[in-house]
Amino acid sequence: MNHFLLVRRSQCGWSGRCTPSDPWRVELTNPVDARSLRKERVRVEPDLPGLKVESGGDSLAIRGVPRGRTTYRVTLSSGILDAFGQALEPGPALTFAVGPGAAALFAPGAG
């Protein structure tokens, strides 16, 4: 375990593609204290409708309804703590470049 809580890496999507339906993942150096995690401690610009932030072990999942072809900047607050009570060290904003959504065709009716 590290003595500091830091962002190890961030990722969106799979195989280098980030679509509007993919969650954004942030891996930290220590397990997150889920009690300290509130969506107010995660700032997303531009605004991300439906923002939800979840933790699991040393990772955060950031979900919402992003627009395709939009780059988002995520700033994590030092109010996020690890399981040892250590605050997240300040760092640069994380960037998530969301590409286009998957092509879809819908038709009215049941057939």
Side-chain angles (χ1 to χ4, degrees), residues 7-95:
V7 172
R8 182 173 288 153
R9 69 179 146 197
S10 60
Q11 180 179 346
C12 173
W14 317 103
S15 303
R17 290 192 54 209
C18 179
T19 70
S21 60
D22 292 322
W24 304 343
R25 293 176 303 284
V26 180
E27 184 180 321
L28 303 171
T29 53
N30 294 332
V32 177
D33 174 13
R35 295 170 299 173
S36 73
L37 189 61
R38 294 176 184 76
K39 72 178 184 178
E40 295 81 23
R41 295 187 172 155
V42 177
R43 190 176 79 223
V44 181
E45 296 172 315
D47 186 48
L48 180 62
L51 174 64
K52 287 185 181 180
V53 182
E54 302 164 336
S55 67
D58 64 355
S59 296
L60 301 177
I62 302 169
R63 301 176 193 276
V65 184
R67 290 187 306 263
R69 297 182 175 95
T70 303
T71 297
Y72 290 88
R73 291 174 40 92
V74 175
T75 305
L76 302 175
S77 163
S78 61
I80 298 171
L81 305 176
D82 68 12
F84 310 105
Q86 301 172 117
L88 180 66
E89 292 288 319
L94 307 172
T95 302

